[in-house]
Structures are given as structure tokens and as C-alpha cells.
Amino acid sequence: YIHNMSKPTKVKVGWKDINIEYVKASFKKDNTDCYGQYLNRENKIELQEEIAGDDLANTMLHEVMHAIVYHSSLNQPGGPLKDDEAEEQTTNSISNWLIGVFRDNPWFLDFLKNNINKTTKPKK
């Protein structure tokens, strides 16, 4: 999936392969000041091509979380995030806090990667 670690073009979220596109900001057309967006109907995440570093990492995580919310049906009628503002606030809060955990604890992501596929063997 990742041909270039700095600019990946796909991310797998659950059962769905989602394309990642890097686009020029279009504040006038989109009437937005956000760095990215998840577009389910187009099966893609758009990220502003000029963002980098913490902003890029946070935006990528934020948009993946929107995909998780959508594919988990959390934003469907009757779901806890059915209101667009509730979904945005929840997604923004959790992604901001997670990026903080990752940045403040450089060992944390490596720890997860090193342990995620390991199985525990019962002690004898």
C-alpha cells in the first residue's frame, strides 16, 4: 500500500481500501478551512498537499477516524454520532489527544507495532 512513506496513496480501514489524494486547498470552492476530508461516496481521503509534519499526521489520523465512524455506522440515524457536529467534535478531540500521546511518548507506536501480531503463549 505505501509506495512512499511520506505520501501514502491508500489506507485500509476495516474491509475498505480508501484512496488518499493530495489536493490544492480550495477554500472558496469548498467553503472550508480544514486540512482534509473523508469522502465516503468517492472512497477517498483528501489532504491539502502543502501540509506536513504534525499537521499532516493529525489530519491523516482524523480522516481515518471519520472513515471508522462511517463504516461502524456510528453516525447513522439513532447512532451516538448522528449529528455532524457531535461526530466532528468527537473525532477531533480523540485524534488530537492520540497525536499528543504519540508525540509525547515516542516509544508508544513502536511498542504497538512490535506487539500487535504477537500471540501470548500460556505459561507452564
Side-chain angles (χ1 to χ4, degrees), residues 4-107:
N4 177 347
M5 185 59 83
S6 64
K7 296 270 185 171
T9 58
K10 288 192 184 293
V11 63
K12 186 175 186 299
V13 178
W15 60 275
K16 192 79 167 172
D17 295 329
I18 299 171
N19 297 313
I20 302 168
E21 292 182 14
Y22 301 87
V23 299
K24 293 190 182 306
S26 179
F27 302 117
K28 189 173 183 180
K29 181 181 116 188
D30 298 332
N31 193 28
T32 185
D33 62 354
C34 63
Y35 287 150
Q37 61 182 344
Y38 169 63
L39 302 165
N40 178 61
R41 290 184 180 177
E42 297 178 41
N43 191 44
K44 70 179 172 181
I45 290 172
E46 290 183 340
L47 301 171
Q48 288 184 16
E49 64 185 5
E50 68 273 9
I51 62 171
D54 288 345
D55 287 333
L56 177 58
N58 186 289
T59 303
M60 176 74 82
L61 179 61
H62 179 101
E63 299 311 329
V64 165
M65 289 182 61
H66 275 299
I68 291 168
V69 166
Y70 182 85
H71 292 291
S72 300
S73 300
L74 294 170
N75 61 353
Q76 299 302 308
L81 301 176
K82 66 181 182 260
D83 176 59
D84 287 346
E85 290 175 9
E87 177 183 345
E88 189 60 31
Q89 182 180 14
T90 301
T91 300
N92 199 48
S93 295
I94 294 172
S95 58
N96 288 347
W97 280 95
L98 275 174
I99 287 295
V101 169
F102 300 154
R103 188 174 54 196
D104 294 343
N105 303 281
W107 58 268

